[in-house]
Amino acid sequence: MTIGPRIGSLRHRLMLEAPQRISDAAGGLFETWTPIGQVWAEVTPITGNETFAADRIVGRVTHSIAVRARSDLSPAQRLRLGDRIFEIRAVLMADHRHHRMRLICEERDL
């Protein structure tokens, strides 16, 4: 029995991005995101909710994103699919042979 997605289920091509801190003219730092590669993935929604914050309704959906195993994935990174941003919250091995990884991600401000 195989755990994790079959190759045909990896149908979404996502951009993997890492944070980069750049100094501004006032001596402070601001964060930008730098593309570091693309991954083929299976994106499965887990749960979602809406809350009222800062005088507006904010939506949030958590996703399970399955990818081929990589050694450079971390919760400091994020994935992008067009305008959609998936913040990585956890990186888990999806099978005992270390072929697949499962990322628990959060998509906000929907």
Side-chain angles (χ1 to χ4, degrees):
M1 183 168 138
T2 303
I3 297 174
R6 293 176 20 172
I7 192 139
S9 65
L10 302 177
R11 69 184 92 235
H12 301 284
R13 192 170 190 178
L14 289 89
M15 178 60 69
L16 179 62
E17 300 177 333
Q20 182 178 12
R21 288 169 183 79
I22 299 174
S23 62
D24 62 14
L29 295 173
F30 67 94
E31 187 174 80
T32 63
W33 292 89
T34 303
I36 59 174
Q38 294 184 333
V39 295
W40 287 99
E42 174 187 21
V43 180
T44 306
I46 300 173
T47 185
N49 65 18
E50 289 182 338
T51 57
F52 191 73
D55 296 329
R56 67 184 184 107
I57 295 175
V58 178
R60 181 179 72 115
V61 177
T62 56
H63 297 273
S64 173
I65 298 181
V67 298
R68 290 183 186 96
R70 295 175 59 123
S71 62
D72 62 345
L73 290 173
S74 80
Q77 299 166 331
R78 71 183 189 183
L79 295 164
R80 178 184 293 273
L81 179 62
D83 292 336
R84 298 174 68 188
I85 295 174
F86 303 95
E87 298 172 1
I88 301 173
R89 298 292 181 220
V91 178
L92 311 167
M93 287 313 255
D95 65 14
H96 67 282
R97 291 179 279 168
H98 303 283
H99 291 234
R100 305 281 182 190
M101 299 182 98
R102 189 154 303 274
L103 310 174
I104 306 303
C105 298
E106 184 176 272
E107 181 182 17
R108 292 188 282 166
D109 297 331
L110 304 173

